[in-house]
Amino acid sequence: MLKDRRHDYRLSHSTSGYFSEVLERALLTTPEVHEAGSGLQNRKQDKRIVVYELFDQEVGPFYFYLSVAKPQGDLDQADLAFIRKVFTNIIALDDAARAIPSQYDENEELFEICVDAAAGMVVLDYSSTLWSTEWGVHFRMTDSGGFECLGIPDWKSPGQFIR
């Protein structure tokens, strides 16, 4: 494992308040809705997804989306409360995701936050800035209201996670 991984895109370069403000501005906009099976960003989706663009790609160091699994209708108060809790904790979630050991000196960049409020699940999707690869780090809301980092799904052992 390399100790000196680059993290130019760490969310801790900003404050959680900043990300909460970005979220509130995005929630005032009209989201894109991708019906189940329609595919999103060249990936097949098995759920209906509501997508918010959080940042202007031309401005600032961050550029990622918020995708919310929502079988039907608009986001409700329970969805919004869960999403706001995610964004209140987004820096800690990002730090936990980046703490998972890697044998490569990747300078990973967050490109999507996927939320399923009904299931209490969050996935932070990252891509490498060095080569064409991406991975998701899964989190589950605990009974105490915090988030547990499950890790990266292990493709060699389905149902298992790399931590």
Side-chain angles (χ1 to χ4, degrees):
M1 305 291 161
L2 295 173
K3 293 181 182 175
D4 299 322
R5 287 171 60 195
R6 295 181 56 197
H7 294 293
D8 294 339
Y9 302 102
R10 277 186 106 84
L11 299 189
S12 60
H13 290 299
S14 197
T15 66
S16 62
Y18 168 74
F19 294 108
S20 292
E21 289 174 18
V22 167
L23 170 65
E24 294 304 323
R25 279 195 307 272
L27 291 175
L28 296 174
T29 65
T30 302
E32 290 181 35
V33 177
H34 300 269
E35 297 300 331
S38 67
L40 175 63
Q41 298 177 2
N42 299 320
R43 292 179 288 162
K44 183 178 184 221
Q45 296 292 325
D46 59 350
K47 298 180 180 179
R48 180 176 175 268
I49 304 291
V50 178
V51 180
Y52 289 91
E53 188 169 337
L54 298 171
F55 298 93
D56 181 341
Q57 190 170 12
E58 305 299 321
V59 180
F62 303 110
Y63 186 70
F64 53 87
Y65 294 90
L66 168 64
S67 297
V68 183
K70 187 70 178 167
Q72 59 188 10
D74 296 329
L75 301 184
D76 58 31
Q77 291 303 313
D79 296 323
L80 293 171
F82 185 79
I83 292 165
R84 287 183 175 115
K85 184 157 187 80
V86 168
F87 273 73
T88 298
N89 292 279
I90 193 63
I91 292 174
L93 297 176
D94 183 61
D95 286 346
R98 293 172 193 270
I100 296 171
S102 173
Q103 63 187 14
Y104 304 105
D105 184 18
E106 297 184 83
N107 193 17
E108 59 266 5
E109 183 173 15
L110 178 66
F111 70 88
E112 187 172 24
I113 299 173
C114 303
V115 173
D116 186 336
M121 297 294 293
V122 179
V123 178
L124 301 185
D125 284 327
Y126 292 89
S127 62
S128 172
T129 59
L130 299 176
W131 55 77
S132 181
T133 187
E134 62 182 55
W135 61 96
V137 180
H138 293 236
F139 294 86
R140 173 179 47 215
M141 185 173 228
T142 64
D143 292 338
S144 64
F147 290 96
E148 173 189 12
C149 181
L150 301 175
I152 302 167
D154 186 345
W155 63 273
K156 294 178 185 176
S157 302
Q160 301 297 313
F161 291 89
I162 300 167
R163 294 181 202 172

